[in-house]
Amino acid sequence: MAAIKRPARWATIARQLAGLLGSLFAASGARAVDLGADKAELLYHRYDGGGVKASGPALLLRKSVMDKVAVTGTVYVDAVSNASIDVVTAASPFTERRTEYGLSADYVYRDSKLTLSTSSSKEPDYTANRVGLDIAQEVFGGMSTVNMGFTHGDDKVGKHAEPGFKATATHWQYRLGSSLILTPRWITSLNLEALADDGFLGSPYRVAYVFGAAVPERVPSTRSSRALKWRVVGDLGSRDAMQVGYRYYWDTWGIKASTLDVTYSRYFGDDWLADLTLRYHSQQHALFYSNNAQADTLYVSRNRQLSTFHDISLGGKVAYTIRKVPGQYDVTLNGALEYVQYKFGDFTDIRTGNLYSYKASVLQLFLSTNF
């Protein structure tokens, strides 16, 4: 009998590690198939960096039905004040509001979970709609999980003060991944993403420079991207855990990027959980990117997000369990703060002629409960 029950015991290891690492492990894609608990979360977020400030609330509510289906609804609001370097050097600072609504449903049947999701976001000059389907299947007696899915998006692009400007873009994202329990304390995952974009993929406001003269940005109308992400998570054995991840990205615009992150998590007593994350990201510029082009080519862009740059971030998260009744509910207060330093290798501030750099901070405060 012990040999028969062992795979089921191993299948719970992913959940135990997820509890130690909080939401970080859940986001990695390496988790056992499970319907999950009923949940409610209320979030306040704030971003401040590079002349851009964005803040607002978010709400999530998840409820299971008949132990087979769970429905999740989300509302996310951003109040944005934009005075970024792109804006102040080519246009006037502005403020706007973006609201996003999301709805998803999970269905569990034996060792499989099917997730159908949809979302819609709207701002004054941009509307984005998404629909997605994901499937997770446990194999090898719960020792491994295979995930696959796709998302389709349709965007409508407008322009302030120009009601006649209308453009569209479509997006396809395909996902394939697998997680594997290596030992009773270590889990690894490998995920591949493939993206295909078509339509208006630039910005109606952004300009490029050719021989020092400002011209409208011109970018290709198609883009194919790939991203490969590996992650390993382990219990270190003293109420602490570690997570290491690496992501490599490349696309048909010539961009190549690498991201490495390391997270350490530890319980303090029964009520406190702390995470510390260090992340490094570097990127190679797009083929048609130029700070100041010396030839008038078919495509040209001075979008700093397509330039050569690197950033390093340090973040911390603390979770405090306010109240917990085993088997009934728990209430947790969470706070997260991250600092990021961006440095650009071939994008200059035209006001000074110096290479551009800036710092940013991200604050999150949220109250969550499982019931």
Side-chain angles (χ1 to χ4, degrees):
M1 292 298 292
I4 295 174
K5 293 182 178 180
R6 188 179 182 189
R9 178 181 67 83
W10 277 51
T12 66
I13 294 172
R15 302 178 185 88
Q16 295 169 353
L17 285 176
L20 184 58
L21 281 165
S23 60
L24 290 172
F25 183 74
S28 72
R31 58 183 183 272
V33 175
D34 188 13
L35 188 60
D38 294 341
K39 177 185 293 187
E41 291 186 352
L42 178 62
L43 165 74
Y44 170 78
H45 66 278
R46 179 178 176 83
Y47 171 89
D48 187 352
V52 178
K53 295 182 179 180
S55 62
L59 176 66
L60 177 148
L61 182 61
R62 175 186 175 91
K63 187 71 175 71
S64 59
V65 181
M66 297 182 297
D67 297 326
K68 287 290 184 180
V69 178
V71 179
T72 303
T74 59
V75 180
Y76 191 91
V77 180
D78 263 333
V80 181
S81 174
N82 194 335
S84 67
I85 187 172
D86 289 333
V87 172
V88 298
T89 57
S92 300
F94 64 90
T95 59
E96 64 182 14
R97 174 174 170 168
R98 182 182 75 92
T99 304
E100 178 179 310
Y101 299 95
L103 182 66
S104 66
D106 297 327
Y107 172 70
V108 172
Y109 179 73
R110 294 183 178 177
D111 295 330
S112 303
K113 181 169 73 172
L114 179 70
T115 301
L116 180 64
S117 60
T118 182
S119 67
S120 178
S121 69
K122 179 177 290 188
E123 48 196 292
D125 58 352
Y126 207 99
T127 301
N129 296 298
R130 301 286 184 270
V131 60
L133 177 66
D134 287 274
I135 300 173
Q137 174 68 51
E138 282 188 355
V139 294
F140 305 123
M143 295 286 291
S144 181
T145 302
V146 177
N147 306 275
M148 63 183 69
F150 76 92
T151 298
H152 173 67
D154 287 301
D155 298 349
K156 295 181 179 179
V157 187
K159 188 176 181 180
H160 288 291
E162 292 190 23
F165 180 91
K166 294 182 180 180
T168 61
T170 59
H171 311 277
W172 287 92
Q173 180 190 54
Y174 301 94
R175 298 175 291 275
L176 177 63
S178 177
S179 64
L180 176 65
I181 299 176
L182 300 175
T183 74
R185 290 185 174 180
W186 290 90
I187 300 175
T188 188
S189 66
L190 186 65
N191 294 278
L192 174 67
E193 289 184 353
L195 300 93
D197 305 308
D198 178 76
F200 188 82
L201 305 180
S203 167
Y205 307 103
R206 188 175 293 114
V207 298
Y209 285 89
V210 179
F211 298 114
V215 299
E217 175 189 59
R218 301 189 299 270
V219 303
S221 60
T222 60
R223 184 180 189 179
S224 296
S225 313
R226 305 290 185 268
L228 187 64
K229 185 174 183 179
W230 167 80
R231 188 166 300 277
V232 62
V233 184
D235 179 0
L236 300 181
S238 183
R239 294 176 59 79
D240 55 357
M242 178 172 287
Q243 177 179 198
V244 178
Y246 176 76
R247 182 177 185 267
Y248 182 71
Y249 168 93
W250 69 101
D251 65 23
T252 53
W253 287 7
I255 293 177
K256 296 179 181 179
S258 297
T259 306
L260 176 66
D261 63 87
V262 180
T263 298
Y264 175 76
S265 303
R266 183 176 181 85
Y267 269 112
F268 295 90
D270 295 328
D271 300 326
W272 291 90
L273 174 62
D275 299 330
L276 183 65
T277 300
L278 181 64
R279 174 181 173 273
Y280 178 79
H281 173 83
S282 64
Q283 175 178 296
Q284 173 185 305
H285 66 76
L287 294 171
F288 51 85
Y289 169 82
S290 179
N291 189 54
N292 183 14
Q294 299 303 300
D296 191 9
T297 55
L298 178 61
Y299 302 119
V300 62
S301 174
R302 196 176 180 268
N303 179 0
R304 70 177 187 275
Q305 295 178 335
L306 303 181
S307 70
T308 299
F309 71 91
H310 71 269
D311 64 81
I312 185 169
S313 66
L314 180 64
K317 178 183 175 182
V318 176
Y320 172 67
T321 302
I322 300 174
R323 184 172 177 80
K324 182 175 183 178
V325 179
Q328 297 185 33
Y329 69 92
D330 62 71
V331 181
T332 305
L333 180 63
N334 304 265
L337 182 62
E338 180 182 16
Y339 288 100
V340 190
Q341 171 73 63
Y342 295 89
K343 291 187 177 181
F344 294 81
D346 51 13
F347 177 86
T348 61
D349 186 337
I350 62 174
R351 299 166 297 183
T352 65
N354 298 325
L355 289 174
Y356 186 58
S357 65
Y358 70 94
K359 297 178 181 179
S361 62
V362 183
L363 172 68
Q364 290 185 332
L365 299 172
F366 61 100
L367 185 68
S368 64
T369 177
N370 295 319
F371 57 92

